[in-house]
mmCIF file of all heavy atoms in Angstrom:
data_model
loop_
_atom_site.group_PDB
_atom_site.id
_atom_site.type_symbol
_atom_site.label_atom_id
_atom_site.label_comp_id
_atom_site.label_asym_id
_atom_site.label_seq_id
_atom_site.Cartn_x
_atom_site.Cartn_y
_atom_site.Cartn_z
ATOM 1 N N VAL Y 64 14.074 7.503 -9.887
ATOM 2 C CA VAL Y 64 13.644 7.656 -8.468
ATOM 3 C C VAL Y 64 13.085 9.023 -8.198
ATOM 4 O O VAL Y 64 12.204 9.179 -7.340
ATOM 5 C CB VAL Y 64 14.807 7.253 -7.526
ATOM 6 C CG1 VAL Y 64 15.882 8.316 -7.508
ATOM 7 C CG2 VAL Y 64 14.313 6.953 -6.118
ATOM 8 N N SER Y 65 13.528 10.005 -8.994
ATOM 9 C CA SER Y 65 12.987 11.370 -8.815
ATOM 10 C C SER Y 65 11.495 11.429 -9.109
ATOM 11 O O SER Y 65 10.803 12.352 -8.668
ATOM 12 C CB SER Y 65 13.767 12.387 -9.662
ATOM 13 O OG SER Y 65 13.701 11.983 -11.022
ATOM 14 N N ASP Y 66 10.952 10.495 -9.917
ATOM 15 C CA ASP Y 66 9.515 10.451 -10.186
ATOM 16 C C ASP Y 66 8.702 10.117 -8.886
ATOM 17 O O ASP Y 66 7.486 10.196 -8.927
ATOM 18 C CB ASP Y 66 9.192 9.445 -11.232
ATOM 19 C CG ASP Y 66 9.797 9.872 -12.634
ATOM 20 O OD1 ASP Y 66 9.641 11.017 -12.966
ATOM 21 O OD2 ASP Y 66 10.454 8.993 -13.294
ATOM 22 N N PHE Y 67 9.419 9.740 -7.814
ATOM 23 C CA PHE Y 67 8.751 9.384 -6.544
ATOM 24 C C PHE Y 67 9.093 10.314 -5.397
ATOM 25 O O PHE Y 67 8.770 10.018 -4.287
ATOM 26 C CB PHE Y 67 9.057 7.895 -6.216
ATOM 27 C CG PHE Y 67 8.633 6.964 -7.321
ATOM 28 C CD1 PHE Y 67 9.584 6.612 -8.337
ATOM 29 C CD2 PHE Y 67 7.374 6.450 -7.403
ATOM 30 C CE1 PHE Y 67 9.195 5.760 -9.344
ATOM 31 C CE2 PHE Y 67 6.963 5.610 -8.419
ATOM 32 C CZ PHE Y 67 7.891 5.284 -9.411
ATOM 33 N N HIS Y 68 9.787 11.382 -5.718
ATOM 34 C CA HIS Y 68 10.295 12.265 -4.672
ATOM 35 C C HIS Y 68 9.174 12.962 -3.912
ATOM 36 O O HIS Y 68 9.317 13.322 -2.785
ATOM 37 C CB HIS Y 68 11.265 13.312 -5.228
ATOM 38 C CG HIS Y 68 12.695 12.863 -5.154
ATOM 39 N ND1 HIS Y 68 13.746 13.512 -5.762
ATOM 40 C CD2 HIS Y 68 13.235 11.753 -4.553
ATOM 41 C CE1 HIS Y 68 14.858 12.828 -5.539
ATOM 42 N NE2 HIS Y 68 14.552 11.758 -4.814
ATOM 43 N N ASP Y 69 8.045 13.136 -4.592
ATOM 44 C CA ASP Y 69 6.899 13.755 -3.881
ATOM 45 C C ASP Y 69 6.461 12.882 -2.675
ATOM 46 O O ASP Y 69 5.850 13.439 -1.736
ATOM 47 C CB ASP Y 69 5.763 14.133 -4.791
ATOM 48 C CG ASP Y 69 5.243 12.902 -5.607
ATOM 49 O OD1 ASP Y 69 5.923 11.851 -5.601
ATOM 50 O OD2 ASP Y 69 4.144 12.983 -6.159
ATOM 51 N N ILE Y 70 6.717 11.596 -2.708
ATOM 52 C CA ILE Y 70 6.358 10.723 -1.549
ATOM 53 C C ILE Y 70 7.218 11.119 -0.326
ATOM 54 O O ILE Y 70 6.704 11.383 0.749
ATOM 55 C CB ILE Y 70 6.552 9.246 -1.886
ATOM 56 C CG1 ILE Y 70 5.599 8.846 -3.055
ATOM 57 C CG2 ILE Y 70 6.385 8.359 -0.635
ATOM 58 C CD1 ILE Y 70 5.727 7.396 -3.516
ATOM 59 N N GLU Y 71 8.533 11.256 -0.561
ATOM 60 C CA GLU Y 71 9.399 11.652 0.537
ATOM 61 C C GLU Y 71 9.020 13.056 1.028
ATOM 62 O O GLU Y 71 8.974 13.337 2.233
ATOM 63 C CB GLU Y 71 10.875 11.662 0.057
ATOM 64 C CG GLU Y 71 11.463 10.270 0.059
ATOM 65 C CD GLU Y 71 12.927 10.293 -0.426
ATOM 66 O OE1 GLU Y 71 13.507 11.395 -0.611
ATOM 67 O OE2 GLU Y 71 13.504 9.239 -0.573
ATOM 68 N N ALA Y 72 8.802 13.966 0.067
ATOM 69 C CA ALA Y 72 8.479 15.378 0.420
ATOM 70 C C ALA Y 72 7.146 15.440 1.263
ATOM 71 O O ALA Y 72 7.066 16.193 2.199
ATOM 72 C CB ALA Y 72 8.378 16.201 -0.822
ATOM 73 N N PHE Y 73 6.216 14.593 0.879
ATOM 74 C CA PHE Y 73 4.949 14.538 1.595
ATOM 75 C C PHE Y 73 5.154 14.124 3.082
ATOM 76 O O PHE Y 73 4.663 14.726 4.020
ATOM 77 C CB PHE Y 73 3.993 13.539 0.928
ATOM 78 C CG PHE Y 73 2.715 13.260 1.661
ATOM 79 C CD1 PHE Y 73 1.665 14.184 1.655
ATOM 80 C CD2 PHE Y 73 2.551 12.074 2.385
ATOM 81 C CE1 PHE Y 73 0.472 13.891 2.365
ATOM 82 C CE2 PHE Y 73 1.372 11.816 3.074
ATOM 83 C CZ PHE Y 73 0.343 12.700 3.042
ATOM 84 N N PHE Y 74 5.972 13.063 3.257
ATOM 85 C CA PHE Y 74 6.205 12.578 4.649
ATOM 86 C C PHE Y 74 7.056 13.599 5.437
ATOM 87 O O PHE Y 74 6.815 13.760 6.671
ATOM 88 C CB PHE Y 74 6.887 11.240 4.653
ATOM 89 C CG PHE Y 74 5.884 10.100 4.474
ATOM 90 C CD1 PHE Y 74 5.591 9.516 3.247
ATOM 91 C CD2 PHE Y 74 5.212 9.609 5.568
ATOM 92 C CE1 PHE Y 74 4.681 8.526 3.102
ATOM 93 C CE2 PHE Y 74 4.299 8.562 5.468
ATOM 94 C CZ PHE Y 74 4.006 8.045 4.203
ATOM 95 N N ILE Y 75 7.976 14.336 4.786
ATOM 96 C CA ILE Y 75 8.756 15.321 5.512
ATOM 97 C C ILE Y 75 7.821 16.465 6.005
ATOM 98 O O ILE Y 75 7.823 16.800 7.153
ATOM 99 C CB ILE Y 75 9.822 15.941 4.623
ATOM 100 C CG1 ILE Y 75 10.951 14.859 4.321
ATOM 101 C CG2 ILE Y 75 10.479 17.170 5.214
ATOM 102 C CD1 ILE Y 75 11.971 15.243 3.294
ATOM 103 N N ARG Y 76 6.955 16.942 5.052
ATOM 104 C CA ARG Y 76 6.021 18.017 5.388
ATOM 105 C C ARG Y 76 5.062 17.621 6.485
ATOM 106 O O ARG Y 76 4.845 18.329 7.488
ATOM 107 C CB ARG Y 76 5.228 18.420 4.101
ATOM 108 C CG ARG Y 76 4.371 19.605 4.272
ATOM 109 C CD ARG Y 76 3.482 19.763 3.033
ATOM 110 N NE ARG Y 76 2.387 18.832 3.025
ATOM 111 C CZ ARG Y 76 1.848 18.342 1.898
ATOM 112 N NH1 ARG Y 76 2.340 18.675 0.707
ATOM 113 N NH2 ARG Y 76 0.827 17.491 1.958
ATOM 114 N N GLU Y 77 4.450 16.398 6.350
ATOM 115 C CA GLU Y 77 3.450 15.991 7.319
ATOM 116 C C GLU Y 77 4.117 15.633 8.695
ATOM 117 O O GLU Y 77 3.546 15.898 9.744
ATOM 118 C CB GLU Y 77 2.631 14.814 6.740
ATOM 119 C CG GLU Y 77 1.784 15.171 5.571
ATOM 120 C CD GLU Y 77 0.832 16.285 5.834
ATOM 121 O OE1 GLU Y 77 -0.066 16.101 6.743
ATOM 122 O OE2 GLU Y 77 0.901 17.351 5.188
ATOM 123 N N GLY Y 78 5.276 15.006 8.631
ATOM 124 C CA GLY Y 78 6.002 14.680 9.856
ATOM 125 C C GLY Y 78 6.349 15.959 10.679
ATOM 126 O O GLY Y 78 6.218 15.982 11.879
ATOM 127 N N HIS Y 79 6.743 16.984 9.934
ATOM 128 C CA HIS Y 79 7.045 18.254 10.531
ATOM 129 C C HIS Y 79 5.827 18.805 11.278
ATOM 130 O O HIS Y 79 5.927 19.323 12.391
ATOM 131 C CB HIS Y 79 7.537 19.228 9.477
ATOM 132 C CG HIS Y 79 8.089 20.503 10.027
ATOM 133 N ND1 HIS Y 79 9.284 20.615 10.742
ATOM 134 C CD2 HIS Y 79 7.552 21.785 10.004
ATOM 135 C CE1 HIS Y 79 9.462 21.833 11.124
ATOM 136 N NE2 HIS Y 79 8.434 22.581 10.719
ATOM 137 N N LYS Y 80 4.657 18.660 10.666
ATOM 138 C CA LYS Y 80 3.421 19.148 11.239
ATOM 139 C C LYS Y 80 3.110 18.484 12.619
ATOM 140 O O LYS Y 80 2.608 19.112 13.542
ATOM 141 C CB LYS Y 80 2.290 18.780 10.287
ATOM 142 C CG LYS Y 80 1.123 19.732 10.260
ATOM 143 C CD LYS Y 80 0.203 19.452 9.097
ATOM 144 C CE LYS Y 80 -0.623 18.208 9.454
ATOM 145 N NZ LYS Y 80 -1.479 17.814 8.257
ATOM 146 N N TYR Y 81 3.549 17.171 12.732
ATOM 147 C CA TYR Y 81 3.318 16.472 14.001
ATOM 148 C C TYR Y 81 4.580 16.507 14.882
ATOM 149 O O TYR Y 81 4.707 15.715 15.819
ATOM 150 C CB TYR Y 81 2.903 15.030 13.710
ATOM 151 C CG TYR Y 81 1.504 14.944 13.157
ATOM 152 C CD1 TYR Y 81 1.262 14.904 11.799
ATOM 153 C CD2 TYR Y 81 0.382 15.051 13.983
ATOM 154 C CE1 TYR Y 81 0.019 14.858 11.266
ATOM 155 C CE2 TYR Y 81 -0.884 15.020 13.497
ATOM 156 C CZ TYR Y 81 -1.107 14.926 12.116
ATOM 157 O OH TYR Y 81 -2.335 14.914 11.613
ATOM 158 N N ARG Y 82 5.549 17.345 14.549
ATOM 159 C CA ARG Y 82 6.815 17.486 15.304
ATOM 160 C C ARG Y 82 7.549 16.178 15.466
ATOM 161 O O ARG Y 82 8.167 15.906 16.515
ATOM 162 C CB ARG Y 82 6.520 18.143 16.699
ATOM 163 C CG ARG Y 82 6.066 19.587 16.579
ATOM 164 C CD ARG Y 82 6.041 20.334 17.863
ATOM 165 N NE ARG Y 82 6.824 19.760 18.950
ATOM 166 C CZ ARG Y 82 6.303 19.507 20.153
ATOM 167 N NH1 ARG Y 82 5.070 19.761 20.434
ATOM 168 N NH2 ARG Y 82 7.069 19.037 21.080
ATOM 169 N N LEU Y 83 7.529 15.389 14.415
ATOM 170 C CA LEU Y 83 8.305 14.149 14.405
ATOM 171 C C LEU Y 83 9.790 14.512 14.308
ATOM 172 O O LEU Y 83 10.153 15.300 13.460
ATOM 173 C CB LEU Y 83 7.868 13.311 13.178
ATOM 174 C CG LEU Y 83 8.270 11.919 13.116
ATOM 175 C CD1 LEU Y 83 7.495 11.046 14.134
ATOM 176 C CD2 LEU Y 83 7.978 11.325 11.680
ATOM 177 N N ALA Y 84 10.593 13.915 15.199
ATOM 178 C CA ALA Y 84 12.026 14.317 15.201
ATOM 179 C C ALA Y 84 12.754 13.753 13.963
ATOM 180 O O ALA Y 84 13.666 14.367 13.435
ATOM 181 C CB ALA Y 84 12.678 13.697 16.494
#
Side-chain angles (χ1 to χ4, degrees):
V64 73
S65 56
D66 294 313
F67 302 92
H68 268 170
D69 55 346
I70 296 179
E71 282 181 4
F73 172 79
F74 276 95
I75 292 171
R76 186 188 77 211
E77 294 302 300
H79 187 71
K80 212 171 74 185
Y81 290 96
R82 293 192 17 233
L83 193 70

